[in-house]
Amino acid sequence: MSNTRHFTSLLDITSDEFRHIIHRAMALKTHRDPNYQPLKGQVLAMVFEKSSTRTRISFEAGMVHFGGSSIFLSPRDTQLGRGEPLQDSAKVISSMVDGIMLRTDKHETVTTFAEHSSVPVINGLTDQQHPCQLLADMQTYFEYRGDIQGKIVAWIGDGNNMCHSYIHAAMLLGFTLHIASPEGYYPLPEIVAAAGDSVRFFASPVLAAANADLLVTDVWASMGQEQEQQQREVAFKDYQINAEVMAAAQPDALFMHCLPAHRGEEVSAEVIDGPQSVIFPEAENRLHAQKALLEFLLASK
Ligand code: CP
Ligand code: NVA
């Protein structure tokens, strides 16, 4: 069990492995071979405590492309929702499948599963991290601009799960992350502290965006924070990526957003639907990046 590789965080892989997964994702996208079925007969269990479009579809489609299958598990319909201990659930589920993907509220749910699972556990988003999205975002950057090492990425908005995974990506791939967040909505200090010089904070979106090669944002209220929407609209009102913020960046800077997006809140319609936005290739790349991750974790078994 101890040799089992998990993907609870980007920090579960090395820089070289991150680049390997990105390049495999690009290759799998360019040359789709229906006869390549490295996961033939394998089963992925997918636990979703929260809603999903992209993550669910990309994992399901990816397993089918690779000759395997997946099982969608909602806590509402399983004993997980009735309080069966996570340890017991992890042991039982992992005794029947080849991999487990979880989208949960608490990050500890995923790490506890990983501790007790005999098969790889994948973080499909927690309140703290969203590492799968970073595989797709970085694949997209590499496709458009080449390696991101030495570049500047501006994160504008909430210091949330996406922001934390961007910090991890900066550490692993060697870019600098400029962060502009309203007071009270900064990323977790322990995650920032571990990143050293990879992260710099700025007092406004325009200052953070200066010379950036990539600008990224996310919703002001994440899943589970819906009741804070109004108070967050006040706190974040000056933290929109709009034409003025884009103008501070490099002229060829890209714009990304994990989606779903709220036009007119964290990003103007002009920017998200404009020529520098790559949100739809980014979303499609969830499929290719996930396949590369599944191949990395499961195919060599
Ligand atoms: N970006 C992302 O994870 O989308 P879903 O919530 O639709 O899975
Ligand atoms: N920060 C968002 C990301 C959604 C993909 C959330 O957690 O809801």
Side-chain angles (χ1 to χ4, degrees):
M1 192 184 291
S2 55
N3 288 335
T4 304
R5 293 292 300 269
H6 301 291
F7 189 66
T8 63
S9 165
L10 280 177
L11 299 183
D12 286 347
I13 57 172
T14 65
S15 303
D16 285 349
E17 288 169 342
F18 198 164
R19 284 194 168 82
H20 165 78
I21 291 169
I22 291 168
H23 288 294
R24 278 300 294 154
M26 289 161 74
L28 289 164
K29 179 177 181 176
T30 323
H31 307 290
R32 168 103 194 270
D33 175 4
N35 295 318
Y36 181 60
Q37 300 209 324
L39 303 187
K40 199 166 169 43
Q42 294 204 33
V43 179
L44 179 73
M46 306 192 303
V47 177
F48 280 96
E49 282 181 1
K50 295 176 170 184
S51 306
S52 170
T53 298
R54 282 145 286 265
T55 304
R56 178 177 176 180
I57 295 171
S58 53
F59 272 111
E60 278 197 32
M63 285 304 290
V64 171
H65 290 184
F66 276 171
S69 61
S70 57
I71 306 173
F72 175 82
L73 299 165
S74 146
R76 208 180 45 189
D77 311 312
T78 61
Q79 302 292 3
L80 275 168
R82 296 182 60 250
E84 182 166 8
L86 294 177
Q87 292 89 324
D88 293 357
S89 301
K91 284 178 187 158
V92 170
I93 297 172
S94 68
S95 72
M96 300 186 194
V97 301
D98 303 280
I100 306 174
M101 190 239 75
L102 299 105
R103 168 167 285 198
T104 63
D105 184 29
K106 293 195 190 74
H107 188 69
E108 292 69 33
T109 303
V110 168
T111 52
T112 304
F113 248 80
E115 269 169 46
H116 298 278
S117 168
S118 55
V119 299
V121 166
I122 299 170
N123 177 352
L125 180 145
T126 65
D127 60 346
Q128 196 192 90
Q129 297 180 41
H130 194 7
C132 288
Q133 183 69 46
L134 263 291
L135 300 181
D137 285 21
M138 293 300 102
Q139 179 194 343
T140 310
Y141 190 89
F142 276 54
E143 281 175 353
Y144 279 82
R145 299 283 184 261
D147 202 302
I148 200 163
Q149 182 160 23
K151 304 289 183 188
I152 295 174
V153 178
W155 175 269
I156 311 296
D158 197 10
N160 63 9
N161 44 11
M162 277 296 299
C163 179
H164 293 145
S165 287
Y166 259 94
I167 294 173
H168 290 158
M171 294 163 68
L172 287 170
L173 297 181
F175 62 83
T176 304
L177 188 67
H178 289 188
I179 298 178
S181 303
E183 211 181 323
Y185 297 95
Y186 300 136
L188 290 172
E190 59 269 29
I191 290 183
V192 172
D197 294 342
S198 300
V199 172
R200 293 182 60 194
F201 285 88
F202 292 83
S204 77
V206 166
L207 291 173
N211 297 318
D213 301 284
L214 167 65
L215 291 91
V216 198
T217 188
D218 190 9
V219 289
W220 289 344
S222 286
M223 288 182 276
Q225 297 171 335
E226 290 79 5
Q227 73 291 351
E228 296 175 28
Q229 176 68 28
Q230 282 188 338
Q231 111 196 22
R232 283 171 172 264
E233 279 175 19
V234 176
F236 284 83
K237 70 175 172 31
D238 297 326
Y239 287 79
Q240 181 186 77
I241 298 190
N242 51 33
E244 185 198 352
V245 176
M246 289 301 290
Q250 297 282 1
D252 69 344
L254 298 174
F255 171 80
M256 292 190 199
H257 190 308
C258 62
L259 303 180
H262 293 178
R263 287 167 175 76
E265 291 187 18
E266 74 273 8
V267 59
S268 67
E270 183 185 18
V271 167
I272 196 169
D273 299 318
Q276 288 167 271
S277 172
V278 290
I279 54 164
F280 295 118
E282 177 190 3
E284 181 194 321
N285 283 341
R286 290 296 305 278
L287 170 66
H288 310 296
Q290 236 94 263
K291 286 171 72 175
L293 176 68
L294 289 166
E295 180 189 63
F296 174 76
L297 290 174
L298 304 184
S300 55
K301 274 180 49 190

